[in-house]
Amino acid sequence: MKKLVWLTVHGEQKYEGMSADSSELRVRGTMEETRDGYLLRYEETDGDGKVTTVTRLALAPDCIILTRTGEVTSEMVFEAGKEHTSFYAVPYGTLPISVKAESVKWKIEETGGMLALRYAINIGGQRGECALRVRVRTEEELERGLPGGSPLFYAPKNRRTKNAEERNIAASAQRAAGMV
């Protein structure tokens, strides 16, 4: 059964030759128990509220698969100690991407939970170190933990900083296409 949840998605990126950056997104999504674990899903929107990218996180005992479709299309498989290669498509072109997870941890229950990833990444030759943390909270968990029971206090509509990973990918794609 799908449950409506609030997700806080926090990413950190450090690419070679660039300063470290981080991003945070707080958004409404869904959580669904599967045969292997859980499926989390959320939508990213632009400033006008138009959905630009749909993100799915499939959590299984030994791995997490992150799939994005829309303006950005990719599938990244995170298994501790293993490298996986795929493609990352952005409006400027498609780049090869490889990720090698250093750490893959998650604990999700009916009321929510956390997942945490640490991984090395190579996007079109641009190498970096990244971390991703996602906190999942159901309405019930928020109501129990907040004075007055207002879940909107902690989960405003799609607040997000600029994402360094997307800027770096766009720059790499432009270089690969000979646009820069």
Side-chain angles (χ1 to χ4, degrees), residues 103-140:
S103 173
V104 178
K105 299 177 182 176
W106 65 270
K107 182 174 181 181
I108 305 282
E109 299 172 341
E110 284 186 21
T111 58
M114 288 283 292
L115 74 87
L117 299 170
R118 293 194 85 59
Y119 58 98
I121 191 167
N122 183 331
I123 303 174
Q126 182 76 38
R127 298 182 192 281
E129 297 290 324
C130 300
L132 176 70
R133 289 188 310 273
V134 179
R135 174 137 191 208
V136 182
R137 300 179 85 183
T138 61
E139 295 279 341
E140 297 81 21

Side-chain angles (χ1 to χ4, degrees), residues 67-86:
T67 306
R68 301 179 82 199
T69 55
E71 277 187 1
V72 174
T73 300
S74 68
E75 180 175 273
M76 292 185 268
V77 178
F78 301 97
E79 283 184 276
K82 295 185 180 179
E83 184 171 5
H84 290 272
T85 302
S86 62

Side-chain angles (χ1 to χ4, degrees), residues 5-19:
V5 293
W6 288 104
L7 301 164
T8 302
V9 182
H10 181 83
E12 298 172 5
Q13 305 85 28
K14 172 66 175 107
Y15 288 90
E16 290 178 349
M18 305 178 113
S19 58

Side-chain angles (χ1 to χ4, degrees), residues 25-89:
L25 171 68
R26 293 185 180 149
V27 65
R28 191 101 190 228
T30 61
M31 173 178 77
E32 181 176 2
E33 191 167 359
T34 65
R35 183 173 45 103
D36 296 325
Y38 283 90
L39 177 64
L40 305 174
R41 183 186 179 281
Y42 64 91
E43 298 174 344
E44 296 180 42
T45 60
D46 63 13
D48 296 327
K50 177 183 169 238
V51 174
T52 58
T53 303
V54 175
T55 301
R56 293 169 34 116
L57 289 154
L59 287 63
D62 297 329
C63 76
I64 295 175
I65 301 172
L66 185 152
T67 306
R68 301 179 82 199
T69 55
E71 277 187 1
V72 174
T73 300
S74 68
E75 180 175 273
M76 292 185 268
V77 178
F78 301 97
E79 283 184 276
K82 295 185 180 179
E83 184 171 5
H84 290 272
T85 302
S86 62
F87 291 93
Y88 204 99

